[in-house]
Structure formats: structure tokens, C-alpha cells
Amino acid sequence: MNFKKISLILCVLFISASMFTIHSASAADTTTNITFTDVSKNHEAYEEINYLVNLGVIQGYFVNGKRVFAPNDSVTREQVAKMVVVASGNKPLVVNKSSFSDVTAGTEMSGYIERAIQLGLFSTNTQGKFLPKKPITRDEMSFVLTKAFNLDTSEYENIDSPFADVGITNPYVKYVNTIYYNGITNGTGNKYLPNNTVTRAHFSLFVARAKNEKYRLELPVKGTSVPDTKEVIGLVQVTTDGLNIRKSKDSSSNANIVGQVNKGGKLSVYQVEDKWLKVTYKGAYAYIFKDYAQFLDADGNALGTVQKEVTTKGAINLYVKATSSSKVISTIKGNEKLPVYKTVGGYYLTQVNGLPGYIVANSTTETTEQPDPDPTPTPPIASGDVLGRATVGDLNVRSEANTTSSVLFKLNKGDSVKVNEIKGYWANIEYNGKTGYVHKSYLKLLNQNGKPLQNRIIILDPGHGGKDPGTVMGSNSEKNITLKVSTLVKQKLENAGAKVYMTRTGDTYPTLQGRVDFTNANYGEIFVSVHVNSAANTSAQGTETYYAISTGDMHQEDIDLGTFVNNQIVNNLNMKNRGVKETPYYVIKNMIIPSVLVELGFLTNDEDRNKMTNDQYVNLFADSIYNGILQYYKKQ
């Protein structure tokens, strides 16, 4: 009986050792090459495969007692998860409950998959499944390698790819660019083949190159066929549909048209040549008309409004990015007056001869004849056929535009007045034949020209940012979702004539008080803060919107605005309605204007997360916020 038990145990151990696996190498494996019967010494990946074997990344498996690697088989998502987790120096994550319906908790692969997701190496937008046996594609592979080995993508964002089959609108373009320019892959000819699957041998090559520079490829010689991204001087966004991209500066013939870009498309600029911009398109230099594109800042955002003017102390450099290590666009003479659009660290974003760039802030002085924009920027002025409805009772109407002048009379809540002019936070109004000044934060401004949003000053606040990612789920973070949605809302509002300011336009972190100060400095009329929810219980889902009550606050306006926005999202995206609630969040409690904070949905819920990470639904979220604001201003 005991002999039979021992025999059975030995059989189990033998079978287990023979099963397909990619587990850590033994002590002996770390010092010698493993021989695979299907990988000869002449194989292109022979050295790299053995390098990974010695790291414990791969070991192959046995077939009929012979060790094989199956180099031509497609590598699967679960195999990729294990290889990159081990190669990047991480360990499996043990969980009691799997994050995916098709992965069993407690299995070997579960631990590596969970760790890979925690590290943000895979997109989780797969309807609650990981698809472990699905072969990985080359575009997905570029994302995994870039994230796993912390490759810097900053040089390769918003620029075209050297590969003809990876356009600038491809969601993986910056990751493909990154592994290309880091010598990890050179594609096939001028193509990357983004939708092709990756073989086990090729993925071993790519992992070895990402892990160890010894194995990296030499980059091709930079030239006209492969533009050098280090020579980029700016980024533009196309402002019209069907803009022709030409291989030369000749608009008289259609023979040199190599493609077209629609409105919103972004292109890297290498040179401004009179009325032409030299750009890259499908891995080669090309040209577009300058009049049909607008320059963006280094983060890919519109420049915005001028905050102040400065004068250069002496000759200074204009840089592509807010760092002296980036490319110098040009040198600016001393005593030159320059506009400042924003401050990034110790640099100012400015514009010279129509080309934006960054200058060292302390190499300039503020132009004395210009008013200091902080905290009192040049007040926006609005006039026309505008009515104002008092949102509070006992509202003072003063003789002058300040809080110390005499009170002429008072308005009751709901009284309508004619607005003659608005300057900063003060409105000159007319009521029953009498005129005076009212702080506009206590008036709901209602256009009577059929354009409810025209000239209305709206502040959008994308939650979190910079060092504060907010709630995170895999590769998805609150700060990225809120910025994406808010940017779309801004575009829609501006198209309707509104003046829109965002508390952040890139991956920065304004403090809570900084967001309040920003709103006051820009004379905001309503404030909408955009956030994403989370909960320990993954079944929690839906949209909810908050307002705050403070002394003298017109909270009924908050409730109106919040209700319109909340209901639009719920109805348009079929979200669970969690209602409009009162909670004293800092940014809305400390505002003197109608202010709401909307939680789009729960990142921790599969259904909500799938919507918030899908571009079609993201646009619906933006449409809903826009329509909620429009409803608010349509209500008389």
C-alpha cells in the first residue's frame, strides 16, 4: 500500500514537471544555457531567449520528454503577463478573489495577471474578462513593454509614427513610437503591422531589448525618410476637415497630395516656411497650409488667454518644452515684450512670431504698464441684451462698483433687472428706471438674443491631476478621465459662444484653494467640478451630483444646475441615478457662484468603467454636462 502511494506521488511530480510552463529557472539554469530542440544556435533569438531563461523569465515545456520552446507560436496575454512581471523585477500578487471572470484566483497565472493589472500593464476594458489565452497584438505589446519597463513617452506624444500603417490618431501611436526609438523593434520595412499577433520568439527578443540595452537595435540613420523627433519645434491641431497633406510646397498640383487630415488632427511641426508648415506624415516629411492649423502648447492644449506681459532682461532662448534640455526654437533679443499664457514651473509659455514656446521666467520682468493679472486680471467686459435675475433676497444695489459705496436700493429674490454692462464682478443694472451696481455673483445672467451661452463665463474643474491621480483601476485613472471629459465640454461650450476656463489643462495639480482662487480671478459665473467615484463594493454604480450650502449662498441655483447636469448624464448614458445631494466639498463650499461637483460613475464598477473609458461614451458624458449647463441658462 505504501509502495503504491509513493509510486503515485512520483508519477504526479513527473507529470507536473512535464506540463507547459514558463516558470522561474532553477539554480542550475541561471549559469548555463538550456537547450531547446526547436531553437538552434543559429536562431535569431537564441541569445535573447537564453538571457531570459537565466533571469527566470521563461523555461519552455516538455513534449515526449524533449524540451521545446515553440518559438513560432503566438504568445498569449497570460504568458505576456508573467514574462513582463518577472522581467521587470516584480512578484505575483496573491488575491482571494479574481478581478476577472475568466481567471481563477489561486492559480499560478492569476497571481501574475493580478500584478500586471495592478502595475497598469494592460487595459482592463474587456467587459470584466482578461482573455488569458488570447494572443497579444503588436499594438498591445507596445503598451505593455512601455509600461513594464518605464520607458519615457514624453518625446513621442502627439507625433506621427515612422510606420505607414500607424497614423497619428492610432491610440497606441506614442507607445509604438517609444519602442521604435528605443531600439526595441524596427517593424517590417515601413510597416509596424499593429494588428498582427506576436510570436513567442519575437516577444522574447522585445523583452530582452527592453530589459537590457545590450540587445537593443541601432536606430536607423535620421534623414528625410525618418524624421528626427528631436527636431520638432511645435505641435498643431488642424482646424478644418479634409486638409491636404503634400509632399512638397506646391498647391498647384494634386499629384503631390499624400493624405488628408480632418479637424482636430494633430501634427508635429519641424519648420515654419512662409505660409507652409513642415510636418511629418506616415514617417516622412510633408507640408500643410499654415492657415488651417493652430499651434498648441507642449501638452497638446490650446494656448488660452494672455495672463500678462513680460519684458526680456537680455537675450534668452525659446524652448519647445518647459525645460532647458529641450530643443531651442530661437533666441529672443533683450528688451522684447512677450505675452504670457501660463506659468509652468519656472518657465512662461509665450508666443514669438506665431510660434509658441517656453522661456525662463526669471530672465524677464513684468511690463510695468500692464496690470498685474494675479489676483486681479483685466476684467472681461460684456454688454448687450442681457437680463439679470436676483438669486438672493435683500440684495444691495450700490452707487459705485465696490462694496463700500452707498446703497441706493435693494432687490428681492427673483427680481429681474436690465444689465447695461458687466466689468469684472460688477454689473451696472437698471431697475424701475433706477440704475446702480450689483455684484454679479448674485445675478443669474440671462441672454435675450437666442444664444443662452454667449459670453457666459464658465469654470470647469477636472478633478485631481499631477501627483494626485484620484481613484485608479488598472491603467485607468480619475485624473485622466476628468481631464478628457472636461476638455470636450470646454470645446462644446466655446462653440456655443461661452467663455470657458479650466482649472487645469494638463497633468498638473492645482490645490483646492488654488481652484477657488482661479475661479475668482477669472470672474466665473458658474463652476462645475468633474470627478469619478469609487467604492470597496464593486456593485456600487451610478451618477451623483453634489452642492454645498453656505451663509448667503444661492443654493437653489446650485440645485437647479446640479439637477440638470445629473439628469442629462443619467438619461443619455443609462446610468443609475444616485441623485443630487448636499455635501460641503471644499471647492463648491468656498465659491460665491452656483457650483456643483459631479461624480460621473464608479471606476470600480465594470459597467460604469467601461463607459468612462470608451471614447463614444466619454463624448456622451461631455454632451450631457454641456446640455445640463445649457438647460440651466435656458431656464428664466
Side-chain angles (χ1 to χ4, degrees):
M1 187 65 176
N2 289 340
F3 178 79
K4 289 181 178 179
K5 286 183 179 180
I6 293 171
S7 298
L8 179 61
I9 291 170
L10 290 173
C11 287
V12 170
L13 290 173
F14 178 79
I15 293 170
S16 298
S18 303
M19 291 177 66
F20 171 73
T21 182
I22 315 177
H23 54 268
S24 300
S26 67
D29 291 332
T30 61
T31 56
T32 60
N33 288 346
I34 287 180
T35 300
F36 297 107
T37 58
D38 52 357
V39 180
S40 70
K41 290 186 178 180
N42 295 324
H43 192 282
E44 63 171 332
Y46 177 80
E47 185 177 351
E48 288 84 352
I49 287 173
N50 278 285
Y51 167 69
L52 296 182
V53 167
N54 290 332
L55 289 180
V57 175
I58 55 178
Q59 192 177 9
Y61 57 102
F62 290 95
V63 175
N64 297 325
K66 295 181 179 180
R67 190 190 296 273
V68 297
F69 182 68
N72 298 321
D73 285 359
S74 294
V75 66
T76 64
R77 286 166 59 87
E78 66 177 2
Q79 292 168 1
V80 166
K82 181 169 185 179
M83 289 176 72
V84 294
V85 165
V86 175
S88 60
N90 290 285
K91 295 181 179 180
L93 178 67
V94 179
V95 295
N96 294 323
K97 182 181 179 182
S98 174
S99 299
F100 305 98
S101 60
D102 55 354
V103 178
T104 303
T107 59
E108 179 193 25
M109 285 303 183
S110 168
Y112 290 104
I113 290 169
E114 295 290 346
R115 180 66 75 190
I117 293 299
Q118 185 194 59
L119 295 171
L121 309 187
F122 286 85
S123 168
T124 56
N125 191 18
T126 51
Q127 305 297 318
K129 295 182 177 181
F130 182 74
L131 309 176
K133 303 298 182 184
K134 182 182 177 182
I136 198 167
T137 58
R138 287 174 58 84
D139 53 6
E140 294 171 331
M141 177 266 291
S142 68
F143 179 89
V144 171
L145 293 178
T146 300
K147 295 292 185 180
F149 296 96
N150 298 315
L151 301 178
D152 185 6
T153 63
S154 61
E155 286 189 51
Y156 316 113
E157 294 180 284
N158 302 309
I159 66 171
D160 203 1
S161 166
F163 301 110
D165 54 357
V166 181
I168 197 166
T169 57
N170 186 305
Y172 292 94
V173 63
K174 72 176 180 181
Y175 305 109
V176 173
N177 289 346
T178 299
I179 64 172
Y180 172 76
Y181 287 111
N182 277 277
I184 293 170
T185 182
N186 55 8
T188 303
N190 71 334
K191 292 186 176 181
Y192 179 72
L193 307 175
N195 298 317
N196 282 19
T197 57
V198 185
T199 66
R200 285 165 52 82
H202 281 163
F203 192 69
S204 297
L205 280 171
F206 301 145
V207 172
R209 291 168 185 167
K211 176 73 174 177
N212 191 332
E213 292 191 8
K214 168 186 174 181
Y215 298 107
R216 292 195 182 182
L217 302 169
E218 288 187 19
L219 294 183
V221 177
K222 301 294 183 183
T224 55
S225 60
V226 185
D228 187 349
T229 57
K230 293 180 180 178
E231 296 303 312
V232 171
I233 62 171
L235 180 69
V236 292
Q237 181 169 277
V238 174
T239 57
T240 185
D241 283 332
L243 176 63
N244 289 327
I245 299 180
R246 300 174 182 271
K247 62 183 177 182
S248 64
K249 296 181 290 184
D250 179 10
S251 59
S252 62
S253 171
N254 290 334
N256 71 342
I257 296 175
V258 293
Q260 291 185 328
V261 177
N262 289 327
K263 183 177 181 180
K266 294 178 181 179
L267 296 168
S268 297
V269 178
Y270 287 76
Q271 200 168 337
V272 179
E273 301 179 11
D274 192 21
K275 62 182 179 179
W276 296 91
L277 297 177
K278 186 178 182 180
V279 300
T280 46
Y281 183 73
K282 295 194 179 302
Y285 289 121
Y287 293 88
I288 62 171
F289 268 121
K290 183 171 66 174
D291 291 346
Y292 298 109
Q294 67 177 17
F295 275 96
L296 306 172
D297 67 15
D299 297 320
N301 301 309
L303 302 188
T305 58
V306 175
Q307 300 297 313
K308 60 182 176 182
E309 185 180 75
V310 296
T311 302
T312 58
K313 295 178 182 178
I316 61 173
N317 290 329
L318 180 70
Y319 298 100
V320 171
K321 298 181 180 180
T323 171
S324 60
S325 63
S326 70
K327 180 178 175 57
V328 176
I329 300 172
S330 63
T331 300
I332 307 162
K333 295 179 180 178
N335 204 35
E336 289 286 323
K337 291 182 172 60
L338 299 172
V340 174
Y341 294 91
K342 67 178 179 180
T343 304
V344 181
Y347 292 79
Y348 288 144
L349 172 63
T350 186
Q351 193 168 204
V352 178
N353 297 324
L355 191 62
Y358 295 82
I359 57 175
V360 177
N362 62 14
S363 296
T364 67
T365 56
E366 291 193 18
T367 306
T368 54
E369 60 265 29
Q370 294 293 320
D372 182 1
D374 186 16
T376 55
T378 303
I381 298 174
S383 61
D385 194 9
V386 180
L387 295 182
R389 177 170 56 77
T391 57
V392 295
D394 203 32
L395 177 59
N396 292 328
V397 180
R398 296 182 178 273
S399 58
E400 296 179 19
N402 58 63
T403 57
T404 59
S405 61
S406 59
V407 176
L408 301 177
F409 56 96
K410 293 179 181 289
L411 296 174
N412 296 315
K413 183 178 180 180
D415 283 348
S416 290
V417 299
K418 180 183 178 183
V419 178
N420 296 321
E421 185 184 50
I422 298 173
K423 187 173 183 180
Y425 261 130
W426 289 93
N428 178 263
I429 61 100
E430 184 175 340
Y431 180 71
N432 287 343
K434 296 180 289 186
T435 61
Y437 291 89
V438 172
H439 201 279
K440 77 167 184 177
S441 63
Y442 299 111
L443 294 177
K444 181 178 182 181
L445 299 171
L446 302 165
N447 296 337
Q448 303 300 299
N449 59 1
K451 299 178 180 179
L453 295 172
Q454 187 173 29
N455 293 325
R456 299 286 54 84
I457 302 174
I458 298 167
I459 310 297
L460 297 176
D461 175 41
H464 304 275
K467 64 182 181 181
D468 176 16
T471 186
V472 177
M473 190 72 177
S475 61
N476 302 306
S477 67
E478 180 175 6
K479 68 175 183 179
N480 290 338
I481 294 171
T482 60
L483 181 60
K484 192 170 187 178
V485 171
S486 298
T487 302
L488 288 173
V489 177
K490 181 177 187 287
Q491 294 171 0
K492 296 172 191 294
L493 290 170
E494 287 179 336
N495 288 340
K499 296 179 180 179
V500 186
Y501 300 92
M502 287 172 55
T503 58
R504 66 179 181 95
T505 56
D507 191 17
T508 57
Y509 177 70
T511 64
L512 298 181
Q513 185 58 46
R515 297 170 201 250
V516 174
D517 293 342
F518 176 89
T519 302
N520 294 335
N522 286 287
Y523 305 102
E525 293 168 3
I526 66 169
F527 173 92
V528 178
S529 188
V530 182
H531 286 256
V532 169
N533 230 328
S534 65
N537 185 350
T538 58
S539 66
Q541 65 180 136
T543 301
E544 56 192 15
T545 303
Y546 295 93
Y547 66 95
I549 298 176
S550 56
T551 304
D553 185 44
M554 66 301 288
H555 62 268
Q556 187 55 52
E557 297 300 314
D558 300 338
I559 294 172
D560 281 353
L561 176 60
T563 301
F564 288 138
V565 169
N566 196 81
N567 289 350
Q568 284 282 342
I569 295 173
V570 168
N571 294 333
N572 295 337
L573 290 100
N574 193 29
M575 301 289 285
K576 179 181 177 181
N577 190 352
R578 298 174 64 91
V580 178
K581 309 170 183 179
E582 190 272 320
T583 301
Y585 287 127
Y586 190 97
V587 288
I588 53 177
K589 180 178 175 59
N590 288 279
M591 293 293 178
I592 58 172
I593 57 175
S595 305
V596 297
L597 186 152
V598 57
E599 298 273 8
L600 302 176
F602 284 75
L603 198 60
T604 46
N605 177 267
D606 289 346
E607 185 177 343
D608 283 8
R609 182 174 64 254
N610 289 337
K611 291 178 180 178
M612 291 186 292
T613 55
N614 178 296
D615 284 346
Q616 181 179 352
Y617 280 100
V618 165
N619 192 56
L620 279 176
F621 278 112
D623 265 337
S624 301
I625 295 173
Y626 162 78
N627 284 317
I629 293 172
L630 179 61
Q631 263 187 290
Y632 172 77
Y633 275 110
K634 279 184 173 180
K635 180 182 177 182
Q636 298 289 313

